[in-house]
Amino acid sequence: MNDNVLAIILGGGQGSRLAPLTESRSKPAVPIAGKYRLVDIPISNCINSSIQRMFVLTQFNSASLNQHIKNTYHFSHFSTAFVDILAAEQTPDNVTWFQGTSDAVRQCMHHFMNHEFDYALILSGDQLYQMDFNEMIKAHQKSGASISIATLPVNAKEAPEFGILKTDSENYITSFIEKPNASLLPEWTSEVSDESKAEGKFYLASMGIYIFNRELLIELMKNPDTKDFGKEIIPQAIGKEKILSYQYEGYWTDIGNIDSFFQANLGLTDDIPKFNLFDNSSKIYTRARVLPPSKITGASTVDKSVIAEGCIINGATIAHSVIGIRSRIGYGSTVSNSYLMGNDYYQNLEEISLNTLQNIINIGVGERCFINNTIVDKNCRIGNDVRLNGGKHLHDTDTNLYTIKDGIIVVKKGAILPNGFKV
């Protein structure tokens, strides 16, 4: 166990770009891969790196996140390991909510200072990646840096979406620019690996993963005028502090909007996915549920899909899709290029039969439905002969039942779509 490292996981703001998935939950609590939550990713990376003291900072819709963490991460009574939620709170010294990433850390410093640590590892709660933080910590210690930033080589198309860094021959950061205009990029190339060069990736993007020496973090947090690490803390420290760029070349994606969230989930269905769920050394931990194996009956066809436990699939066609826990899909239905998050509970046979007699739609997907380019949030009731065909032909819109963003239909949590409903 890394007793000298304290992990601080930033839960993010209101998550408006991920709406409607964040209407009733915080960003870290959004379900991913059919059975996990986004917050499970950084927590699992920490556990796999023997970092077992973690704080998760949040302020929006934190009830489901609290519940998930409480039900999931239990350590020995004789261990100092923990995963604690720190929600924004008013104190005599502070009456405002978190104003940015560094402001969130500043407001919670009195909690961190109750623990011994030499290094603070600051992570984002909405990224998908597998990383051994021990390697980054070793590089930080060896370099004698006071701050280290994990960086990712990106190409010219991606660079304007990130904070871009320039480094010297020893990988120390010499300058930083936030989301540069494409015309400025020729001045911002850095030394990268031959593999990255071959892929046209000449620019180093900040991944929003930081290591701070304890004493420096304490000193920096004394200034209440700096609200954000990427926009203020890091740029202002360049030239004053020794800041190391730790180059990471594995798979990493920022789950910032509906499109990136959708693509990250569907990417898990690839024959050899970039994010590997089937890895003995980099397990993804989540709540342990007592669920039966999934049952597939009738003339069902399943291709290039990920199906979580506890599903009941009756004579359906499923292609290039992620099917979440406890999903129920009726006869003759087709689900393609979609992510069904599944359900939080089962209906019993008596309830299903009674609902059918009374023409009440049951939880799950009914019969003869067609679902394509769609995200179906949890506990939705989709009737028979429903057609949801997402694509670029659809304009962005928001209704009580669904939202369309970038051609992706998002059925809202708990929505009821009547028989014959079409989008």
Side-chain angles (χ1 to χ4, degrees):
M1 180 172 171
N2 280 329
D3 290 326
N4 61 345
V5 181
L6 189 70
I8 301 167
I9 300 169
L10 303 173
Q14 196 163 354
S16 55
R17 291 191 300 154
L18 263 182
L21 302 178
T22 49
E23 285 182 354
S24 62
R25 57 169 80 92
S26 61
K27 260 200 298 188
V30 172
I32 191 167
K35 62 175 289 181
Y36 307 100
R37 306 278 188 141
L38 275 172
V39 75
D40 291 329
I41 306 304
I43 291 176
S44 296
N45 280 326
C46 285
I47 292 173
N48 292 330
S49 303
S50 298
I51 298 167
Q52 297 183 2
R53 296 183 301 159
M54 291 163 265
F55 285 102
V56 181
L57 277 51
T58 186
Q59 66 183 353
F60 288 98
N61 290 331
S62 55
S64 63
L65 181 65
N66 269 307
Q67 185 180 38
H68 174 71
I69 288 179
K70 177 176 71 70
N71 291 333
T72 304
Y73 297 101
H74 303 285
F75 300 94
S76 166
H77 291 297
F78 302 101
S79 167
T80 58
F82 63 85
V83 181
D84 283 352
I85 294 272
L86 292 179
E89 57 184 355
Q90 290 187 339
T91 68
D93 297 324
N94 187 81
V95 295
T96 64
W97 281 29
F98 300 152
Q99 303 299 304
T101 53
S102 64
D103 187 60
V105 171
R106 178 182 300 107
Q107 290 194 37
C108 295
M109 279 298 289
H110 60 290
H111 295 292
F112 308 147
M113 298 309 295
N114 291 328
H115 300 270
E116 292 295 325
F117 64 96
D118 296 323
Y119 308 106
L121 174 66
I122 299 176
L123 308 171
S124 172
D126 56 358
Q127 298 173 348
L128 189 63
Y129 63 106
Q130 288 165 308
M131 183 175 178
D132 184 354
F133 295 130
N134 289 314
E135 298 302 318
M136 183 175 176
I137 292 165
K138 288 176 185 174
H140 177 82
Q141 293 170 326
K142 184 178 179 180
S143 71
S146 52
I147 303 172
S148 287
I149 303 175
T151 56
L152 187 78
V154 297
N155 59 35
K157 182 181 178 182
E158 299 166 321
E161 299 297 318
F162 294 95
I164 299 298
L165 315 161
K166 281 189 76 169
T167 58
D168 61 19
S169 58
E170 296 182 298
N171 288 325
Y172 295 120
I173 296 169
T174 57
S175 51
F176 174 92
I177 185 170
E178 181 76 13
K179 297 183 178 180
N181 188 284
S183 63
L184 299 176
L185 290 180
E187 306 169 17
W188 285 87
T189 58
S190 288
E191 186 58 37
V192 296
S193 68
D194 291 338
E195 292 85 352
S196 294
K197 289 176 182 176
E199 296 174 359
K201 297 178 178 180
F202 297 100
Y203 312 96
L204 285 179
S206 169
M207 296 167 62
I209 296 173
Y210 312 109
I211 296 174
F212 282 84
N213 289 356
R214 175 191 173 104
E215 296 308 317
L216 177 61
L217 184 66
I218 293 170
E219 188 63 30
L220 291 173
M221 292 300 104
K222 290 178 180 177
N223 181 1
D225 295 329
T226 51
K227 308 296 185 185
D228 195 85
F229 284 110
K231 295 176 183 176
E232 296 164 308
I233 295 286
I234 299 302
Q236 291 172 16
I238 291 173
K240 300 177 184 175
E241 303 293 338
K242 200 173 182 181
I243 307 177
L244 179 72
S245 162
Y246 176 79
Q247 279 194 45
Y248 174 75
E249 297 196 354
Y251 172 76
W252 176 91
T253 187
D254 181 38
I255 310 290
N257 55 44
I258 290 294
D259 183 59
S260 61
F261 175 80
F262 187 61
Q263 298 304 330
N265 278 283
L266 292 193
L268 299 172
T269 68
D270 292 345
D271 290 341
I272 303 178
K274 294 178 181 177
F275 185 84
N276 185 12
L277 293 172
F278 304 88
D279 189 330
N280 286 323
S281 60
S282 299
K283 295 176 182 176
I284 306 301
Y285 299 92
T286 193
R287 180 181 174 186
R289 301 175 178 89
V290 183
L291 287 174
S294 290
K295 181 170 66 174
I296 302 173
T297 63
S300 294
T301 302
V302 180
D303 180 49
K304 201 177 181 182
S305 296
V306 174
I307 300 178
E309 59 265 43
C311 298
I312 301 173
I313 299 169
N314 298 316
T317 298
I318 299 171
H320 193 216
S321 295
V322 176
I323 309 299
I325 57 170
R326 301 188 190 89
S327 289
R328 183 186 64 81
I329 303 174
Y331 289 98
S333 289
T334 296
V335 179
S336 61
N337 307 306
S338 294
Y339 174 25
L340 277 56
M341 290 187 179
N343 305 303
D344 289 321
Y345 58 94
Y346 290 116
Q347 293 176 293
N348 59 42
L349 292 175
E350 291 78 14
E351 183 181 355
I352 292 173
S353 299
L354 185 61
N355 284 349
T356 302
L357 288 173
Q358 297 178 349
N359 292 320
I360 297 173
I361 296 170
N362 287 303
I363 288 180
V365 177
E367 299 180 359
R368 301 177 302 280
C369 294
F370 180 83
I371 299 175
N372 181 52
N373 284 325
T374 296
I375 298 171
V376 179
D377 206 331
K378 282 198 165 185
N379 305 330
C380 291
R381 297 169 183 253
I382 296 177
N384 298 330
D385 303 298
V386 170
R387 185 176 180 85
L388 304 173
N389 188 23
K392 295 300 182 183
H393 62 285
L394 297 176
H395 298 293
D396 286 4
T397 188
D398 182 45
T399 73
N400 291 333
L401 297 177
Y402 66 90
T403 296
I404 300 173
K405 286 186 175 180
D406 298 320
I408 302 162
I409 301 170
V410 185
V411 182
K412 295 184 177 182
K413 186 177 181 180
I416 302 174
L417 304 187
N419 295 337
F421 188 88
K422 292 184 179 181
V423 178

